[in-house]
Amino acid sequence: MSDAQNTGNAASEMRPTLREALRKARIEAADRTGVVVELRDAEVARLEILNEALDPLFAQVPEKVDLFDRGISQGETPRLWIDVVAHVVMGRDKRVYRFVQDTRFGRIVLAESHDVPVIVDAVTDYVARRIIEREHAMVATAKVAEPVPAEKPRRRRGFGMFLLGFILGALALFGLALFASLGNL
């Protein structure tokens, strides 16, 4: 009787979950779509698969960090946005995930792969770097906010030196004129 229970437990552990079955069905459906009209739907389906794979990552992001606004845009070219400057788009063959970032110097490809786990790893690294950048920016702003003692302007000191030089020059001219007038007598 214990063998029957062990066999039942082993069978229940081997059954796939509904989420895994849905994921597998979506992948199969996306692979079968070959019609041009359905290519966009296949892109969106693949991006939704990636979006679901990113759920555990974004569940770990602290709530106070508001850098990330993840979502799929349904435009002419569907995109899975990670934040304002980074997104995942499907490649030309509609089977390759391309993780890109917009910079001042143009768009750079951070990762490109057919496999979801590779892109998830790249997005995880990107999210970690962005959180660290935020922490450094927060520390830098705190240091700038410290009050700095005001220095006296150098202009007054320079004007005082000019005035002293003017007075000494006038006295020197007066002394020279007095010496010259005494020498003529």
Side-chain angles (χ1 to χ4, degrees):
M1 186 140 176
S2 63
D3 291 336
Q5 288 177 350
N6 289 340
T7 308
N9 289 339
S12 64
E13 290 175 8
M14 303 266 304
R15 280 190 214 141
T17 63
L18 178 59
R19 186 174 187 169
E20 292 173 11
L22 285 172
R23 181 176 178 273
K24 185 177 177 182
R26 283 185 183 144
I27 290 172
E28 289 172 357
D31 286 339
R32 283 193 301 257
T33 56
V35 182
V36 175
V37 175
E38 294 178 358
L39 281 178
R40 187 175 171 284
D41 293 337
E43 283 183 77
V44 172
R46 287 182 176 272
L47 291 174
E48 286 174 352
I49 290 168
L50 178 61
N51 193 22
E52 286 179 7
L54 290 171
D55 284 340
L57 167 66
F58 284 97
Q60 296 174 9
V61 174
E63 289 184 22
K64 65 181 180 178
V65 176
D66 58 350
L67 294 173
F68 308 105
D69 191 21
R70 185 172 52 124
I72 297 176
S73 64
Q74 300 283 337
E76 184 178 324
T77 304
R79 294 183 171 121
L80 171 60
W81 290 94
I82 305 301
D83 63 4
V84 178
V85 294
H87 63 274
V88 178
V89 67
M90 299 308 295
R92 290 183 187 230
D93 67 350
K94 309 303 181 201
R95 295 179 189 269
V96 175
Y97 295 100
R98 183 175 290 147
F99 180 40
V100 297
Q101 180 182 16
D102 295 326
T103 66
R104 289 184 288 176
F105 307 110
R107 185 172 288 170
I108 58 172
V109 178
L110 300 175
E112 189 171 23
S113 177
H114 292 287
D115 300 325
V116 172
V118 173
I119 301 299
V120 169
D121 289 343
V123 172
T124 302
D125 292 342
Y126 174 79
V127 167
R129 279 184 273 132
R130 287 297 303 243
I131 290 173
I132 296 299
E133 286 173 9
R134 179 184 180 273
E135 288 173 359
H136 287 293
M138 298 298 276
V139 169
T141 23
K143 287 184 180 178
V144 172
E146 294 177 11
V148 178
E151 294 182 23
K152 292 182 180 180
R154 291 183 175 256
R155 177 180 270 175
R156 290 183 185 171
R157 188 178 291 170
F159 181 72
M161 293 301 288
F162 172 75
L163 189 59
L164 179 64
F166 182 77
I167 291 172
L168 288 176
L171 286 174
L173 284 175
F174 180 72
L176 185 63
L178 183 64
F179 179 71
S181 67
L182 288 177
N184 287 339
L185 286 176

